[in-house]
Amino acid sequence: WYQRRVREAVVSTQSTGAYFQEQDERNKGRTMEELEVQSILQQQAADRAKKFQMERHSELEADKRSAQMVKEEEDEFQRYADAVIETAKERGRPVGPLIKAKNAGAGGGNGPIFEGKSNLRPSYQANDAYGNQLPRFANGAAKRVNELSSTSKRLGFVW
């Protein structure tokens, strides 16, 4: 009885050792696969970052070229406007509107010039750096709401 037990213990120890050795080999294979996947993912992340950086660089270059073209067009317009104003002065014509049109910045307004927005000059003071010009009208829905509510009187709104 005892010898049989000892034999079974030896056999189970050998099979357990083989089992653990097999598990170690599997784990090593998994570890190698995980390392390969990790290196692939790191390479993909680096490629995405490089692509993003190159796209950003090309956008900045396009913005620089666009700004240079706008500057050249503005200079050409200023030279043309000076010639037109001189001709109008020689002929005795009023030059006030021409001088106002000659002012730098597109948009025809009296507001500040937004450098990053193709030298746009809006006709109002904008609160942000984008310089987007809002429409000057209120639609019918807004007028109906103001007619129905009495809060406009309390708040001092005029429309």
Side-chain angles (χ1 to χ4, degrees):
W1 176 81
Y2 180 72
Q3 290 177 352
R4 194 180 79 196
R5 270 304 249 199
V6 169
R7 244 183 277 132
E8 287 176 2
V10 168
V11 168
S12 69
T13 306
Q14 290 174 351
S15 65
T16 304
Y19 173 77
F20 283 127
Q21 186 178 5
E22 184 180 321
Q23 289 296 323
D24 279 346
E25 290 174 8
R26 280 192 211 159
N27 286 340
K28 286 180 185 177
R30 281 191 204 137
T31 304
M32 293 302 291
E33 289 174 3
E34 289 172 357
L35 288 175
E36 289 175 16
V37 168
Q38 185 177 12
S39 67
I40 289 171
L41 292 176
Q42 288 175 345
Q43 182 63 36
Q44 288 176 346
D47 290 344
R48 278 194 304 269
K50 185 176 180 180
K51 181 181 176 185
F52 175 76
Q53 184 178 11
M54 290 180 68
E55 287 175 356
R56 181 72 177 146
H57 179 70
S58 65
E59 287 176 6
L60 290 174
E61 288 297 319
D63 287 345
K64 285 180 185 177
R65 287 191 303 270
S66 176
Q68 180 65 28
M69 289 184 348
V70 166
K71 184 180 182 315
E72 290 171 3
E73 288 177 8
E74 181 68 25
D75 291 342
E76 182 179 348
F77 173 75
Q78 292 297 326
R79 286 192 302 272
Y80 174 73
D82 287 337
V84 170
I85 290 172
E86 287 300 319
T87 305
K89 280 183 185 177
E90 290 172 2
R91 294 183 180 173
R93 306 274 183 178
V95 293
L98 295 174
I99 291 174
K100 184 173 180 184
K102 181 187 176 280
N103 285 342
N110 296 322
I113 296 177
F114 286 96
E115 295 293 332
K117 190 85 170 181
S118 298
N119 294 332
L120 176 71
R121 184 186 292 269
S123 61
Y124 66 95
Q125 288 280 344
N127 289 332
D128 59 1
Y130 297 113
N132 293 332
Q133 191 162 347
L134 300 175
R136 296 175 153 238
F137 59 87
N139 62 11
K143 289 180 182 176
R144 283 192 299 277
V145 167
N146 286 332
E147 289 171 0
L148 295 174
S149 68
S150 62
T151 59
S152 63
K153 294 176 185 168
R154 289 196 313 252
L155 298 175
F157 293 147
V158 294
W159 43 272

